[in-house]
Amino acid sequence: MTSQPTPTKAASGPGGPEEPGGLHAGLKNRHLSMIAIGGVIGAGLFVGSSSGIATAGPGILLSYALVGTLVVLVMRMLGEMSAANPTSGSFSAHADRALGRWAGFSIGWLYWFFWVVVLAVEATAGAKILEGWIPAVPQWGWALIVMIVLTATNLVSVGSYGEFEFWFAGIKVVAIGAFIVVGGLAIFGVLPGVDAQQAGLGNLTDHGGFLPNGPGAILTGVLLVVFSFMGSEIATLAAGESEDPQRAVTKSTNSIIWRIGVFYLGSIFVIVALLPWNDPSIKDKGSYVAALDSLGIANAGQIMNFIVLTSVLSCLNSGLYTASRMAFSLGRRGDAPKAFAKTTSRGVPLAAIVVSVVFGFVAVFFNYKFPDSVFLFLVNSSGAVALFVWLVICFSQLRMRKIIQRESPEKLVVKMWLYPYLTWAAAALIVFVLGYMLTDTEHDGRETVLLSLLVAAVVLAIALVKEKLRGGAKAAKAAGTDTGAGVPLTDGEPADAVSDAR
């Protein structure tokens, strides 16, 4: 089932192939295509959409559209930088190059922290479903089994990760596609043999209007759905280990609009058209299960449990891959232990994977032992990292465009629209969302932002101290170097060389 990498073919960026012992180009184009498609479909879409519908009614479509537009803009910026320099560090490496070592260090470690916490959340969610099917194995046992299996998959080769993700993502894509087609036919009354008396476009306005809880609910809905979009950037990290990095980044960036439009807006539209937004079953059963039940489809709950489990396993698989590659990139740039940058003969960063898994296991332990204290702190303190990452991408792109134009203008194969105006507009929207979260006490928005800022401040302080300790040596080097011209756009460079070039 696994697809092995070619040992002699190394992932390469604009600066040339990685040195021996680096990552391998073990991801095929079909892997990258499915990772890009499946990356925007997280378990949060299936599990968290019901609370958004209950809050904003049919107007939740505007919440999803607003966040979707933001993600499209951010991915376009990231695509511009990653097409010019495909790298395992993605936005962290770009921030390092464009803003400074402190930025690459801080956002890289925050992103790693986010994903190791996600590992615990998803492992627990998957374990609950599996325990319901086979109660003889305790929940902690299932969490352990799931983590071990996916760790083994990632340790074999990047090709095995890609193959597993290809099938996981494929199941999600087929499931949502089928849901949209069947639901759409029911909405327009052309689905034979299905009882869908409540279905119809009238559900969008007949129960208190399109915005039954007022326009302000759109923003509240944004807070509830924004985090379900995290993961769309994974394709740019994985591109560094693909057969054709630039083509993979360009393709995934250009397709983000229809992916979000179909999978998010399409499926949510089907739900709010099949059922009144205030139908109790949406909250009790979950939005997708309630929609399937309304069509009289047998075993709807179990079908959806299987799809959610697939999404959970996909998220775990990609989360472990993403955390380990970010740790690898940090090690490569001198911002993490050097052992993180070492790879096996198969091009697998063994230490980076093992350390990420260990922290994931520790978080799982906290989830079972201290769910309402330590683990709750971990979840809330990593909750706003997605917005921090997107904000850093905006500021990185503003400066990186000028660097690329000066050094390698031919590498601008993907360009941000209406630069720099849309970049500034996206950054302003992110800041606005963070500010609005500070006013949200009902859904823990304020606590999430404040705790996330606390953790970010600690990481930033460490970065600045590290930078200061490195200052003497850097000053000596800088005295004999130019101010940036001619430095290759690659994170295969020694960390100090890239930093000094600024």
Side-chain angles (χ1 to χ4, degrees):
M1 183 176 176
T2 59
S3 173
Q4 302 297 336
T6 305
T8 58
K9 186 178 181 182
S12 62
E18 304 254 16
E19 71 266 16
L23 302 175
H24 287 183
L27 293 175
K28 300 181 182 298
N29 287 332
R30 66 181 178 88
H31 293 154
L32 261 293
S33 296
M34 196 56 75
I35 289 170
I37 295 172
V40 297
I41 310 172
L45 174 62
F46 300 109
V47 178
S49 55
S50 56
S51 58
I53 293 172
T55 299
I60 193 66
L61 286 167
L62 297 180
S63 302
Y64 273 103
L66 190 60
V67 179
T69 300
L70 177 60
V71 172
V72 167
L73 295 178
V74 170
M75 282 299 296
R76 187 74 184 182
M77 299 175 219
L78 184 55
E80 176 180 296
M81 296 184 288
S82 295
N85 177 32
T87 165
S88 58
S90 189
F91 50 83
S92 173
H94 303 323
D96 188 297
R97 177 77 174 92
L99 303 177
R101 289 287 295 278
W102 63 271
F105 177 96
S106 302
I107 206 63
W109 277 114
L110 283 173
Y111 193 68
W112 178 87
F113 172 59
F114 170 84
W115 278 111
V116 295
V117 173
V118 166
L119 290 180
V121 173
E122 301 295 341
T124 304
K128 287 180 180 178
I129 294 174
L130 289 167
E131 185 189 30
W133 290 345
I134 308 177
V137 179
Q139 193 178 121
W140 65 266
W142 279 119
L144 185 64
I145 291 170
V146 165
M147 290 279 280
I148 289 175
V149 169
L150 293 179
T151 300
T153 299
N154 276 266
L155 286 173
V156 172
S157 70
V158 68
S160 62
Y161 154 73
E163 197 66 26
F164 267 73
E165 190 57 25
F166 176 82
W167 292 105
F168 286 152
I171 291 172
K172 292 189 292 185
V173 169
V174 170
I176 289 196
F179 175 81
I180 292 173
V181 170
V182 172
L185 292 174
I187 291 168
F188 294 102
V190 292
L191 187 64
V194 171
D195 179 21
Q197 294 180 353
Q198 298 183 87
L201 297 178
N203 284 325
L204 298 176
T205 56
D206 287 349
H207 305 277
F210 186 71
L211 296 171
N213 296 323
I218 297 173
L219 292 177
T220 305
V222 165
L223 305 186
L224 297 174
V225 307
V226 66
F227 303 111
S228 66
F229 283 83
M230 194 65 168
S232 54
E233 70 289 332
I234 291 175
T236 63
L237 279 89
E241 294 176 82
S242 68
E243 297 170 334
D244 188 348
Q246 191 176 79
R247 177 177 177 272
V249 169
T250 303
K251 188 175 180 180
S252 64
T253 301
N254 290 337
S255 64
I256 187 71
I257 296 176
W258 73 259
R259 286 185 276 135
I260 288 177
V262 171
F263 298 123
Y264 277 85
L265 292 178
S267 62
I268 297 299
F269 170 80
V270 167
I271 291 170
V272 294
L274 282 176
L275 285 169
W277 69 271
N278 53 1
D279 190 303
S281 64
I282 292 179
K283 188 174 182 180
D284 296 339
K285 300 177 182 178
S287 54
Y288 287 82
V289 174
L292 291 176
D293 274 344
S294 73
L295 300 178
I297 295 178
N299 300 312
Q302 292 304 320
I303 293 173
M304 192 50 58
N305 274 340
F306 172 74
I307 296 171
V308 171
L309 178 62
T310 302
S311 295
V312 164
L313 295 177
S314 172
C315 192
L316 267 172
N317 195 36
S318 288
L320 181 52
Y321 170 83
T322 304
S324 64
R325 268 37 177 200
M326 185 57 72
F328 168 85
S329 179
L330 287 166
R332 192 73 171 271
R333 288 177 274 140
D335 288 333
K338 291 182 180 179
F340 286 10
K342 294 181 179 179
T343 58
T344 66
S345 60
R346 292 176 178 268
V348 174
L350 179 63
I353 291 176
V354 170
V355 170
S356 299
V357 171
V358 168
F359 275 85
F361 275 126
V362 170
V364 170
F365 170 76
F366 286 145
N367 194 6
Y368 288 110
K369 194 72 175 176
F370 311 106
D372 298 322
S373 53
V374 180
F375 187 69
L376 187 63
F377 169 80
L378 291 177
V379 172
N380 285 336
S381 61
S382 64
V385 166
L387 293 168
F388 295 165
V389 166
W390 296 347
L391 193 59
V392 167
I393 289 172
C394 293
F395 291 126
S396 297
Q397 190 265 338
L398 285 169
R399 297 197 64 182
M400 199 62 157
R401 166 68 77 89
K402 297 175 182 177
I403 294 174
I404 299 172
Q405 284 178 326
R406 182 180 71 236
E407 298 177 2
S408 309
E410 73 280 1
K411 293 173 184 171
L412 276 174
V413 294
V414 176
K415 289 186 178 181
M416 176 60 184
W417 306 297
L418 295 178
Y419 168 86
Y421 307 109
L422 277 183
T423 302
W424 281 111
L429 180 57
I430 294 168
V431 172
F432 175 77
V433 171
L434 286 168
Y436 189 76
M437 287 180 71
L438 290 173
T439 69
D440 175 46
T441 55
E442 183 180 353
H443 303 99
D444 299 324
R446 176 183 294 176
E447 184 177 7
T448 297
V449 172
L450 291 177
L451 289 178
S452 296
L453 284 172
L454 173 63
V455 171
V458 171
V459 175
L460 180 59
I462 295 172
L464 294 176
V465 169
K466 186 177 173 70
E467 192 80 3
K468 188 174 182 180
L469 293 175
R470 211 188 266 126
K474 282 188 176 183
K477 280 187 179 183
T481 61
D482 199 349
T483 57
V487 178
L489 292 171
T490 171
D491 86 329
E493 291 278 329
D496 287 335
V498 176
S499 181
D500 292 338
R502 278 189 290 278

